[in-house]
Amino acid sequence: MLFNDPVFASRLLTLLTLSFHIIYATIGVGVPLMIMIAQWIGIKKNDMHYILMARRWAKGFVVTVAVGVVTGTIIGLQLSLLWPQFMELAGNIIALPLFMEVFAFFFEAIFLGIYLYTWDRFENPKKHLLLLIPVALGAGMSAFFITIVNSFMNTPAGFDIVNGQLANANPIAAMFTAAMPTKVSHVLATAYMTVAFMLAAIAAYKLIKGSNHAYHKKALYMAMRIGLVFAIATAIIGDFSGKFLAEYQPEKLAAAEWHFETEEGAPLLLYGVLDENQEIKYEIRIPYALSILAHGDPFSEVVGLDQFLKEEQPPLVVHYFFDLMVTIGMFMIFLALIYWIGMKRAWSFVQSTWYRWLIVLGGPLSFLAIESGWWLAEVGRQPWILRGIMTVDQAATTSDYVGHMFILFAGLYIVLGVGTVVVLTRIFRNNPLEKDLEKMQGGDPS
């Protein structure tokens, strides 16, 4: 059985854990910014609806933070248990960003606790708003430091290998690798975009279900505008990411685009299938677009998979991850752009039920795009765990019990996922919008 192969089982368990954790990590990074923006608008406009948005979103955020702590801790343990050879080599040099990520989380958690327990305790609400700055900053820094570790795995730097041993370690150089700028900026932008569309989906769903409250209309409009800004930012950063891959990881770009032969003026391939002879069928070809993505020049040469050994080529399935990520990203840009223009010009269809259902669909689709982006990044680095230095096979544990661990952790994630939904549902069911609004109007600090 495949579960009896410790390498395969370790890869599968890591995939499961990262895919589950990225949901909570994305919420953990994006929600503090949304809370801060809502509260700032509420104070600026003296509008209690925006203040209430911040208050209600903060209630739900605490639940996801608690689960995120559990899954984040599991990832740290699994790095050592499943990939001991990797941690033995790289742990000496990437320990600094791992430690700083923990510090950033505690920094965020401390101020989040103060923020939550000081509602209505300040005469000047702007002082309470200031508490959100370290919360949002801590959340962003957590993503920054953990993404640095991933960047290091893609473009290792800051050390030498002498006689099979790590030497001349420079932790600062290891943190600021060639992959760091595009990876960090892409992670942050997609987190903010995804959370904005998630909150927009919730507001749109409430409106579809019969609520005509101004609170939901304002939440929808604000979230869609913020989502549009970060969706466009994500597309721009994606272009820079393509140029990074062309220079530093050309095999990943070639696999993602099924670019088998090196050529000039290379087309961009979307969709399609491969037959048994690796012939591409039913694809959409955009002339010169891959050369533009890779080098900004429609006639430039793009390196193909023919320049790499067969055993060093990434799995070709990453093409589908790329297509899924790009398709959803472009869909969300157009959906948000049409909504924004339509609201400005009073187009009635953007407030219709069918269009709001598209916005509702955009919430889970945005998370699917996040997942596919990470699958592209991680599977596209194969067979390397530390590119050019250590393969996944060399890094994995030799334990025969990883398959049993997979079953146990899968059960744990089911419990955590279902538990999150149940707790959040009860929180907001027991504290409906009207009840919270009545409390604020009555000055009830509870």
Side-chain angles (χ1 to χ4, degrees):
M1 292 178 61
L2 289 174
F3 271 127
N4 293 331
D5 178 3
V7 176
F8 175 81
S10 295
R11 291 180 64 184
L12 203 61
L13 178 53
T14 303
L15 172 66
L16 174 68
T17 300
L18 288 175
S19 297
F20 185 73
H21 174 70
I22 197 64
I23 298 171
Y24 293 90
T26 298
I27 293 171
V29 173
V31 169
L33 180 66
M34 296 295 293
I35 295 173
M36 187 166 64
I37 293 174
Q39 191 164 340
W40 175 73
I41 294 174
I43 293 171
K44 183 180 178 182
K45 294 185 174 182
N46 193 26
D47 189 326
M48 69 176 63
H49 290 141
Y50 289 100
I51 300 292
L52 186 56
M53 282 178 213
R55 199 160 189 161
R56 287 172 65 84
W57 291 346
K59 287 181 182 179
F61 178 58
V62 175
V63 177
T64 59
V65 167
V67 180
V69 170
V70 175
T71 56
T73 303
I74 290 171
I75 289 174
L77 292 172
Q78 287 183 0
L79 276 175
S80 299
L81 293 174
L82 302 181
W83 311 105
Q85 305 305 319
F86 166 72
M87 291 303 293
E88 182 180 354
L89 174 66
N92 294 315
I93 196 167
I94 60 170
L96 179 59
L98 287 173
F99 168 77
M100 293 300 294
E101 192 273 337
V102 175
F103 174 81
F105 169 75
F106 281 119
F107 181 75
E108 172 194 359
I110 289 169
F111 282 95
L112 177 62
I114 298 171
Y115 171 80
L116 290 171
Y117 286 102
T118 53
W119 273 103
D120 305 314
R121 300 296 193 268
F122 290 93
E123 277 189 37
N124 185 349
K126 292 181 180 178
K127 292 181 179 179
H128 185 243
L129 175 64
L130 291 176
L131 291 171
L132 282 172
I133 296 176
V135 176
L137 187 62
M141 293 306 291
S142 290
F144 172 79
F145 286 118
I146 204 64
T147 307
I148 276 178
V149 177
N150 185 266
S151 302
F152 170 79
M153 295 166 71
N154 283 276
T155 52
F159 67 97
D160 297 314
I161 299 294
V162 179
N163 297 324
Q165 300 295 318
L166 186 145
N168 304 321
N170 184 339
I172 302 301
M175 289 175 62
F176 296 94
T177 64
M180 187 274 290
T182 53
K183 278 198 168 290
V184 169
S185 57
H186 198 270
V187 164
L188 290 174
T190 52
Y192 298 140
M193 175 198 75
T194 300
V195 167
F197 287 136
M198 175 192 74
L199 295 173
I202 294 171
Y205 181 78
K206 290 292 186 181
L207 292 169
I208 291 171
K209 288 302 179 180
S211 173
N212 199 36
H213 204 289
Y215 170 92
H216 296 304
K217 294 179 179 178
K218 292 176 182 178
L220 176 59
Y221 185 65
M222 185 192 80
M224 287 296 282
R225 286 202 302 171
I226 295 172
L228 175 61
V229 170
F230 284 109
I232 294 173
T234 297
I236 295 171
I237 296 167
D239 178 72
F240 289 124
S241 297
K243 291 170 175 54
F244 159 78
L245 290 177
E247 182 172 355
Y248 293 96
Q249 291 182 288
E251 73 282 4
K252 181 187 288 188
L253 181 64
E257 278 303 307
W258 286 349
H259 185 59
F260 296 111
E261 296 182 5
T262 302
E263 65 175 315
E264 298 178 354
L268 184 74
L269 269 63
L270 292 174
Y271 317 117
V273 294
L274 283 176
D275 63 17
E276 61 276 6
N277 299 315
Q278 284 199 337
E279 294 291 332
I280 306 170
K281 297 181 178 179
Y282 315 119
E283 78 282 8
I284 297 175
R285 291 178 179 263
I286 306 176
Y288 306 107
L290 183 56
S291 289
I292 295 173
L293 175 65
H295 304 291
D297 179 355
F299 303 105
S300 62
E301 181 180 85
V302 181
V303 176
L305 289 173
D306 58 336
Q307 300 299 309
F308 302 95
L309 297 174
K310 188 71 175 177
E311 59 270 21
E312 294 184 2
Q313 295 179 10
L316 296 178
V317 69
V318 296
H319 174 75
Y320 298 112
F321 303 152
F322 176 83
D323 285 347
L324 188 60
M325 177 184 66
V326 170
T327 301
I328 294 174
M330 297 307 297
F331 171 75
M332 294 310 299
I333 288 176
F334 285 117
L335 186 70
L337 182 62
I338 291 171
Y339 175 83
W340 179 71
I341 296 174
M343 291 298 290
K344 289 287 185 182
R345 299 191 177 184
W347 294 345
S348 59
F349 76 87
V350 297
Q351 299 188 62
S352 63
T353 299
W354 69 267
Y355 200 85
R356 285 172 175 166
W357 272 118
L358 290 179
I359 295 173
V360 172
L361 180 63
L365 281 179
S366 296
F367 277 100
L368 181 58
I370 285 272
E371 296 281 10
S372 62
W374 273 107
W375 297 337
L376 169 62
E378 298 307 291
V379 178
R381 192 179 60 244
Q382 302 301 313
W384 305 105
I385 192 169
L386 196 58
R387 186 179 181 272
I389 296 174
M390 179 180 287
T391 65
V392 170
D393 290 353
Q394 294 169 337
T397 181
T398 56
S399 171
D400 294 327
Y401 297 99
V402 180
H404 299 86
M405 291 174 60
F406 178 90
I407 296 171
L408 291 173
F409 278 108
L412 173 63
Y413 298 148
I414 291 172
V415 171
L416 289 174
V418 173
T420 301
V421 174
V422 171
V423 171
L424 287 174
T425 301
R426 289 186 177 180
I427 286 175
F428 291 106
R429 182 180 294 162
N430 295 335
N431 295 274
L433 172 62
E434 292 74 15
K435 183 178 177 181
D436 279 347
L437 195 58
E438 184 179 342
K439 285 181 179 181
M440 288 188 64
Q441 291 172 332
D444 186 347
S446 61

